[in-house]
Every structure is written in structure tokens, then in C-alpha cells.
């Protein structure tokens, strides 16, 4: 018991708040032992925490891959380029191809879904990034502190709105509004390459444009709140330096704030893109849920991978052979790959253009 | 001290004898040198943040081509005063001021003042080096480009001139496209000086420009300041009395938000007329 070296404590019984009783050496020993154990445990525990996200990603991919393997074998690489989506005759006698059972006359092609996913997400980014970054700059640089705090709270509330609400709003309000007011313009867009995509009948409340706009609005809070935090971190000394040089507010943004936050804002946009690529419910409600064709114009009905998985799930479970479920798993795998590719693409982009080569090392990568 | 004597700028004309130091309001006029035009004239200037008065009733004249050092204990309003000269306080919430600041014959706080061109002509260098997140060359060039001071083809030449002027050219000429954040603190501050000089200011305000620098860099900056006059009028806020002695022509002593005394270096350090000034320069207060 006395091996613990704490002479000053030994000599002062009662000084630890319990008058008259000798200092309890055991508690000190236990505390030290506990401390030593905790020190040893920290690298292990943090190591486990660090591995968990990677393990989850790997596990999901492996399970999906396993689930999708029969479909991958049957559909082949053509799955990515084919357009036709036919679940076949559910009442026919199932056929067997390479040992895999499926309904007769099936054809599964993911191309329109891949394209729809990319198109709607790209549209969302085009809408969301300028608005988000502009809003973030105004919130940090222009609004008085109290208003700026309120704007921040609003942004956070927006993140929390369920996507089904966005979907409802899209189909009940935004869709009819857009189709009504853009119809006149869409008719007059010249029929030349590129521009042709913005021409044609506006159909109704659903389609690529509505989905894209809804997605854009959904990811604005994500990009804006991240951008706001980044812009707040730009040292005020640099901004003051620019103002002291007689630069306009716009020049301060362009010369100081933008270079300082560029790489972070690209990161925030990728975060938003990830959300847009995977968004299911809002798109399922506003896309028009057409299968088998790509969008001819920005007003066309379309579909995305995520929306298709959820809307086809019922029919897939009704497929007695279970093949369609495997096809949906394959679709999920494609979506994961697209998301990962987008992430890597963004990283590559940053490296290529040396976004942060000039900015100080302290500002992330 | 001998450098001070050698300055062609500030004549040794003393404050009018009729203004005895004791009872008079603190605003005995600095540099009533008559002949020299005043780059800036401050009269009865008072400034407050959210109702709390920081500087009160300051009156000061800055003779063209002189170096004025502003000294005083921490929190006496030196920096606030300096920042009011080119309206850098305007953006700080709760800032209110009255009184007049004139830049030559222009009212700095007047209506319709073009803040951008005012700040080009009344530049500022800060306590800590604050390079912009762009290449070394671009740091110096951006102000020139923003104000379109020279044709594009001559920007490079101008950048080199300025970098040579501050003595940085040799060190950076082969890495103009590198990040300025890889330079040493002293080099970064010289770069910031070059950046401020690149837009051809008439007045340069320096807020403790050497307080984060090592002695050698400090000497480089001080040497540069001495070379810049009389083309540029310089105001330098400093905590370092020795520095004020080395570089300044005139010294203004601030305390508790008021301008206590101004005078030539010699007068302030050797023959101060106010007790507080004497105590401060001899190290007994502050």
C-alpha cells in the first residue's frame, strides 16, 4: 500500500475533505492504475473508431456485390449502356439462364437511370452552388451579427426538413408553377444543338427540371452552411489588408475570400452532390418516374437510380424468381460507384488545379 | 538621433511659445511648421465603439513627408486613431465618430468621399504580416491591377520595382509564383509593405509593423521607412520607444484616449512638457 510515493499526502491526514480519517491510499492507486490503462487504451479505441467508417463502406459494398452477382453475370457490361427496362412476364414460366432463374422476356438497362441521376444532380449543383456561396458570403460579410445568426438558424432548419416534404412541394407548387410560366419560353427556344435541350413541351408538374430544382434547394443548406463556416475562418487581417489597399467588396471576395476557401467549397459541393445523387423520395415524387428512356429535354420525365430502386421495390418482391431484387442491388452498386467516382474526381480536380497550393497550410490540406 | 537631424523635412520650429504647456488643452498643434503643407489634419476628433469613447478630442497635423510616431500605453487608442485616418473603423459595428480629418484639402469623413481612392492614397500596414492567398508576384500586383494604375504590360516591371525598393527582390525573384506563406515573417511583412507601396500612396499608416518581427527584419523595415520619406508621409504606431527615437521626426504621445503631447523626437524624449510624457518615456508608466 505504501509503495505509492505521495509523502505530502501521507503526512496530511484529513486534508482531503474527510477530517480525522487517514488519507486513503487505495483510491490514489486505483486512480493511477486507471489512468495508465486509459493511456494504453486510447490508441486502440481511437483506432477502432477510425476503422469503423471504412469497414462499413467495405461491408455494404461487399454485401451489395454478393447480392447483385447473379444479375451482374446475366446483364453483363451492357447493363450500363442498355435503355430498355422490362420486368418480363410475371405469370410466365420462369426460365433459367446460366443457372439463374428469372421471369421470361426480361430486359434490364440502367443507362437512362445513370444519365438521369447525373443530369438531375448536375442541375442541382448548377443551381445550388452559386446561391449557397453567395448567401454564405452575404451572411458572413454583410449582415449584422444578429441577422446573421438568424440566417444560420434558418439554414440549419432547412437541413432538417424531410425530403418527402420537398417532394410534395415540388409536385404541388413548384412543378405547376414552372410548367405554366416556362411553357411560353420553352416554345421559342431555337431548335439548334445544345439549346434544343431547353425546348419543347413542359408536360406538367414533373420532370428533370423540377427534380433538379428541388434537389438544388435541398442541398443549398448543406453547401451554404459549410461555406459559411469556411468563410468565417478567413482571417480578418487579410480582408482588412485588401480593404486598406482600396479594394472593393467584390475584389475582397475574389482576391482573398475565394482563394482562401476554394478547396473547402469544392469539398462542400461534393458533399451536396453526394446528397443529390442519392436523394430518393423527392426525386421519386417529382421525376415523372419514367423507365426506359432518357430525357429529351430539360422538361422531360426522367428517373434516377435511387428513385427507381424505391419505386421498383414492390414489383421486385412480387417477382417470384427474385431476379429483379438482384438487379436493384446491382443498380445500388452502380450508384455507390458513381458517388465514389465523383468524390475522387473532385479530389483530382483540386490536385490538378492546385487549389490550396498558395493558401497557407493551416487552411486544410 | 543624428538621422533625425538629417531629415530635410521637419523643421525645428518649436510650438509657439505663447502656448504654455501646462494649462492649455492637449491639442496644442503639432508641427506648426508653417511652410510645409499638411498631408493630414485632424481636428477635434472623437471616436467611440458602442457608446464607449476610445479616443477623445484629438487634434494633430501631419506634415508632408515626415515620419510621425504615435506612442503610448496599451489601450490608449493609438491604433483606433490610426485606423480612423483611412476609415478602417467604419466596418466595425458600433463605431461612431465626429470631428474632422482632412487629407490635404479633402474631408475624409465628408459626404461622397471615394473610400477606395482614399485608401489607395492613405495606405495601411498591419501588426502581423497579412499576405493574400495568391502568389508573391500577384500579392504586389493585385493592388496595381485593381486601381488600373499602369497598363497591364507594365505591371510586372512595377512589381519588380517595389520588391527592389523593399529589398525583397533578390530573395524572391526566382520564386515569384510561390506562396507568400513560405516566406519568413520579416519577408512577409516586407512583402506587405511592397504591396502597400505598389499603389503609390501619399500617406502610409503603420500599426506596430515590427512587433512580430525579429531584430534584423525590424531594422530592415525601419531602414526602408527612412528611405521612403519625404516622398511619402508616414505615421507609425509603436510600443517600442527606441524605435520611435530611431525613425521618427515627430512623436505624439497618447494616454487614455487623449493626445497628451506632440513634439519633435528630441523634445519629447529629452524635454517633455507634460509630466505623464516624462514618466512614460522614462519608463515609469505604461
Amino acid at each position: 500500500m505504501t509503495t505509492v510515493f505521495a509523502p505530502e499526502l501521507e503526512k496530511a491526514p484529513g486534508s482531503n475533505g474527510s477530517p480525522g480519517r487517514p488519507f486513503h491510499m487505495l483510491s490514489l492507486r486505483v486512480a493511477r492504475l486507471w489512468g495508465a490503462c486509459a493511456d494504453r487504451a486510447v490508441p486502440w479505441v481511437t483506432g477502432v473508431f477510425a476503422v469503423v467508417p471504412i469497414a462499413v463502406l467495405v461491408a455494404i459494398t461487399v454485401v451489395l456485390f454478393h447480392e447483385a452477382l447473379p444479375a451482374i453475370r446475366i446483364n453483363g457490361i451492357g447493363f450500363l449502356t442498355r435503355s430498355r427496362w422490362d420486368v418480363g412476364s410475371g405469370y410466365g414460366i420462369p426460365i433459367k439462364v446460366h443457372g439463374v432463374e428469372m421471369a421470361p422476356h426480361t430486359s434490364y438497362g440502367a443507362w437512362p437511370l445513370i444519365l438521369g441521376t447525373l443530369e438531375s444532380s448536375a442541375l442541382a449543383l448548377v443551381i445550388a452552388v452559386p446561391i449557397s456561396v453567395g448567401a454564405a458570403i452575404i451572411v458572413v460579410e454583410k449582415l449584422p451579427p444578429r441577422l446573421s445568426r438568424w440566417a444560420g438558424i434558418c439554414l440549419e432548419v432547412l437541413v432538417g426538413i424531410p425530403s418527402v416534404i420537398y417532394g410534395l412541394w415540388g409536385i404541388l407548387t413548384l412543378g405547376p408553377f414552372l410548367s405554366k410560366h416556362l411553357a411560353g419560353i420553352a416554345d421559342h427556344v431555337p431548335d439548334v444543338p445544345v439549346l434544343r435541350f431547353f425546348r419543347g413541351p413542359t408536360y406538367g408538374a414533373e420532370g428533370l427540371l423540377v427534380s433538379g430544382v428541388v434537389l438544388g434547394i435541398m442541398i443549398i443548406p448543406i453547401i451554404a452552411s459549410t461555406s459559411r463556416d469556411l468563410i468565417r475562418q478567413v482571417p480578418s487581417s487579410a480582408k482588412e489588408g485588401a480593404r486598406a489597399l482600396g479594394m472593393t467588396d467584390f475584389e475582397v471576395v475574389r482576391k482573398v475570400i475565394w482563394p482562401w476557401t476554394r478547396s473547402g467549397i469544392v469539398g462542400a459541393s461534393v458533399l451536396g452532390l453526394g446528397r443529390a445523387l442519392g436523394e430518393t423520395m423527392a426525386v421519386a415524387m417529382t421525376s415523372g418516374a419514367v423507365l426506359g428512356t432518357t430525357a429529351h429535354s430539360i422538361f422531360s420525365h426522367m428517373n434516377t437510380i435511387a428513385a427507381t430502386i424505391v419505386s421498383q421495390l414492390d414489383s421486385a418482391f412480387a417477382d417470384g424468381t427474385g431476379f429483379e431484387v438482384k438487379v436493384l442491388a446491382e443498380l445500388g452498386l452502380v450508384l455507390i460507384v458513381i458517388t465514389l467516382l465523383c468524390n475522387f474526381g473532385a479530389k483530382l480536380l483540386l490536385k490538378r488545379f492546385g487549389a490550396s497550393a498558395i493558401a497557407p497550410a493551416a487552411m486544410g490540406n | 538621433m543624428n538621422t533625425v537631424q538629417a531629415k530635410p523635412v521637419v523643421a525645428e520650429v518649436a510650438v509657439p511659445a505663447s502656448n504654455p504647456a501646462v494649462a492649455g488643452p492637449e491639442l496644442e498643434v503639432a508641427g506648426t511648421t508653417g511652410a510645409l503643407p499638411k498631408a493630414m489634419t485632424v481636428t477635434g476628433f472623437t471616436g467611440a465603439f458602442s457608446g464607449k469613447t476610445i479616443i477623445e478630442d484629438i487634434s494633430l497635423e501631419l506634415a508632408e513627408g515626415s515620419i510621425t510616431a504615435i506612442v503610448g500605453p496599451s489601450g490608449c487608442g493609438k491604433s483606433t486613431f490610426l485606423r480612423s485616418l483611412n476609415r478602417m473603423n467604419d466596418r466595425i459595428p458600433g463605431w461612431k465618430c465626429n470631428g474632422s480629418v482632412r487629407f490635404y484639402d479633402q474631408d475624409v469623413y465628408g459626404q461622397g468621399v471615394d473610400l477606395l481612392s482614399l485608401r489607395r492614397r492613405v495606405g495601411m500596414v498591419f501588426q502581423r504580416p497579412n499576405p493574400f492567398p495568391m502568389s508573391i508576384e500577384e500579392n504586389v500586383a493585385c493592388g496595381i491591377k485593381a486601381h488600373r494604375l499602369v497598363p497591364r504590360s507594365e505591371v510586372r516591371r512595377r512589381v519588380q520595382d517595389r520588391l527592389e525598393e523593399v529589398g525583397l527582390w533578390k530573395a524572391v525573384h526566382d520564386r515569384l509564383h510561390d506562396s507568400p506563406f513560405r516566406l519568413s515573417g520579416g519577408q512577409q511583412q516586407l512583402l506587405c509593405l511592397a504591396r502597400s507601396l505598389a499603389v503609390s500612396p501619399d500617406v502610409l499608416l503603420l500599426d506596430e509593423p515590427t512587433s512580430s518581427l525579429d531584430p534584423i527584419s525590424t531594422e530592415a523595415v525601419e531602414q526602408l521607412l527612412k528611405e521612403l520619406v519625404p516622398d511619402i508621409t508616414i505615421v507609425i504606431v509603436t510600443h517600442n520607444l527606441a524605435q520611435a527615437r530611431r525613425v521618427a521626426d515627430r512623436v505624439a504621445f497618447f494616454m487614455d484616449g487623449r493626445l497628451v503631447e506632440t513634439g519633435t523626437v528630441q523634445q519629447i524624449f529629452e524635454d517633455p512638457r507634460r509630466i505623464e510624457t516624462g514618466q512614460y518615456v522614462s519608463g515609469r508608466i505604461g
Side-chain angles (χ1 to χ4, degrees):
Chain A
M1 278 253 168
T2 48
T3 49
V4 176
F5 183 66
E8 75 283 5
L9 292 176
E10 268 178 308
K11 280 181 196 144
S15 65
N16 60 340
S18 52
R21 279 175 57 197
F23 181 73
H24 213 292
M25 293 306 291
L26 186 63
S27 64
L28 183 61
R29 260 185 104 161
V30 167
R32 295 221 170 140
L33 201 65
W34 170 242
C37 288
D39 278 2
R40 291 257 175 94
V42 163
W44 289 99
V45 174
T46 50
V48 168
F49 288 160
V51 167
V52 163
I54 303 168
V56 169
L57 180 66
V58 170
I60 289 177
T61 315
V62 166
V63 168
L64 260 185
F65 188 78
H66 176 77
E67 209 43 45
L69 197 57
I72 296 172
R73 271 179 27 224
I74 301 297
N75 290 329
I77 196 77
F79 184 63
L80 301 178
T81 53
R82 269 199 305 273
S83 289
R84 210 162 85 87
W85 186 280
D86 193 339
V87 298
S89 157
Y91 301 106
I93 297 156
I95 57 169
K96 243 184 182 179
V97 184
H98 300 304
V100 179
E101 211 179 13
M102 67 183 84
H105 313 300
T106 57
S107 166
Y108 294 107
W111 172 240
L113 307 176
I114 295 171
L115 194 64
T117 303
L118 294 176
E119 280 171 342
S120 58
S121 297
L123 191 57
L125 272 189
V126 167
I127 293 167
V129 171
I131 294 178
S132 309
V133 175
I137 290 172
I138 288 169
V139 164
V140 177
E141 294 295 315
K142 282 282 170 200
L143 290 189
R146 188 176 307 186
L147 254 177
S148 153
R149 205 162 41 242
W150 274 105
I153 292 170
C154 289
L155 273 183
E156 272 138 36
V157 169
L158 277 179
V159 180
I161 294 181
S163 56
V164 67
I165 306 288
Y166 281 106
L168 260 186
W169 175 76
I171 198 160
L172 294 181
T173 311
L174 180 71
F177 177 85
L178 287 181
S179 75
K180 187 175 161 203
H181 292 279
L182 291 182
I185 304 170
D187 285 342
H188 294 100
V189 174
D191 191 9
V192 293
V194 186
L195 281 185
R196 191 177 294 147
F197 195 65
F198 300 91
R199 177 189 163 83
T202 53
Y203 295 106
E206 302 158 325
L208 175 57
L209 180 65
V210 184
S211 292
V213 173
V214 168
L215 281 178
I217 292 171
M218 287 179 74
I219 63 176
I220 281 174
I222 300 174
I223 304 178
S225 61
T226 317
S227 305
R228 182 195 54 174
D229 295 344
L230 287 164
I231 291 168
R232 278 211 182 121
Q233 284 171 22
V234 175
S236 59
S237 68
K239 289 186 280 190
E240 283 212 308
R243 293 213 170 83
L245 220 49
M247 288 192 176
T248 60
D249 284 352
F250 179 68
E251 281 163 338
V252 173
V253 169
R254 206 161 57 98
K255 304 263 183 184
V256 179
I257 295 177
W258 175 243
W260 220 294
T261 52
R262 183 170 42 195
S263 63
I265 286 175
V266 171
S269 306
V270 171
L271 215 65
L273 177 64
R275 171 98 198 259
L277 288 171
E279 174 51 41
T280 308
M281 190 42 77
V283 180
M285 293 166 82
T286 56
S287 63
V290 68
L291 281 168
T293 55
T294 56
H296 301 296
S297 80
I298 198 165
F299 307 104
S300 303
H301 291 183
M302 42 75 77
N303 216 336
T304 67
I305 294 177
T308 303
I309 291 177
V310 74
S311 61
Q312 292 298 303
L313 204 56
D314 246 4
S315 101
F317 283 135
D319 178 6
T321 64
F323 184 67
E324 201 186 340
V325 175
K326 294 180 169 52
V327 174
L328 294 186
E330 190 181 359
L331 267 185
L333 206 59
V334 171
L335 182 58
I336 287 188
V337 171
I338 290 178
T339 311
L340 288 181
L341 282 182
C342 285
N343 271 298
F344 283 127
K347 286 237 159 64
L348 217 65
L349 195 87
L350 278 182
K351 226 179 204 160
R352 180 73 189 273
F353 296 104
S356 52
I358 299 282
M363 291 304 302
N365 40 27
Chain B
M1 281 308 289
N2 47 2
T3 48
V4 173
Q5 305 297 351
K7 284 273 147 37
V9 189
V10 172
E12 298 289 285
V13 182
V15 179
S18 60
N19 187 2
V22 208
E26 295 84 315
L27 47 109
E28 34 106 353
V29 178
T32 29
T33 45
L36 280 165
K38 302 292 174 283
M40 297 197 90
T41 314
V42 183
T43 324
F45 190 82
T46 297
F49 288 121
S50 314
K52 187 174 183 295
T53 303
I54 307 292
I55 46 176
E56 202 173 351
D57 201 15
I58 310 280
S59 295
L60 185 67
E61 289 184 337
L62 307 172
E64 191 178 74
S66 68
I67 301 185
T68 305
I70 298 180
V71 299
S74 295
C76 68
K78 305 184 294 278
S79 293
T80 306
F81 173 70
L82 192 76
R83 292 165 56 91
S84 353
L85 295 181
N86 68 345
R87 293 182 57 176
M88 288 302 286
N89 289 328
D90 283 18
R91 284 181 63 89
I92 298 175
W95 167 251
K96 286 251 160 38
C97 64
N98 56 53
S100 121
V101 178
R102 298 191 82 77
F103 170 60
Y104 290 99
D105 53 355
Q106 184 187 10
D107 184 3
V108 168
Y109 283 86
Q111 278 192 331
V113 169
D114 178 6
L115 257 189
L116 304 181
S117 74
L118 170 76
R119 287 181 182 154
R120 178 184 78 70
R121 300 189 62 188
V122 185
M124 190 162 214
V125 174
F126 297 81
Q127 192 168 352
R128 289 179 171 280
N130 54 351
F132 300 151
M134 49 180 82
S135 71
I136 292 171
E137 179 180 11
E138 196 55 32
N139 256 280
V140 185
C142 64
I144 308 173
K145 287 181 189 164
H147 292 284
R148 295 191 177 74
L149 294 177
V150 295
R152 281 202 162 264
S153 55
E154 285 169 39
V155 170
R156 229 198 135 94
R157 179 77 233 161
R158 182 99 172 227
V159 169
Q160 181 178 345
D161 286 349
R162 290 300 162 257
L163 286 171
E164 275 171 354
E165 189 173 12
V166 302
L168 207 54
W169 178 251
K170 262 198 189 132
V172 302
H173 71 94
D174 53 350
R175 45 175 175 156
L176 287 174
H177 300 290
D178 278 8
S179 163
F181 298 100
R182 296 200 192 107
L183 299 174
S184 74
Q187 287 175 323
Q188 288 188 22
Q189 191 64 310
L190 286 173
L191 180 68
C192 293
L193 262 163
R195 183 177 73 192
S196 298
L197 292 172
V199 296
S200 313
D202 299 293
V203 176
L204 197 55
L205 311 171
L206 302 115
D207 191 355
E208 299 185 39
T210 60
S211 63
S212 63
L213 303 187
D214 62 278
I216 292 172
S217 311
T218 301
E219 200 190 335
V221 171
E222 288 178 4
Q223 196 54 44
L224 173 64
L225 296 184
K226 287 187 210 163
E227 284 160 15
L228 288 174
V229 288
D231 295 337
I232 295 180
T233 308
I234 291 176
V235 187
I236 175 169
V237 164
T238 179
H239 262 300
N240 183 342
L241 287 174
Q243 180 172 60
R245 253 183 132 118
R246 285 193 298 266
V247 302
D249 303 312
R250 299 189 67 86
V251 176
F253 172 57
F254 275 59
M255 203 170 135
D256 298 333
R258 289 177 164 269
L259 174 60
V260 176
E261 183 172 354
T262 66
T264 61
V265 169
Q266 200 166 11
Q267 185 225 315
I268 292 287
F269 282 98
E270 279 152 31
D271 184 23
R273 274 168 293 154
R274 297 287 296 250
I275 298 165
E276 302 96 306
T277 316
Q279 286 176 329
Y280 182 73
V281 298
S282 61
R284 267 172 285 157
I285 54 171

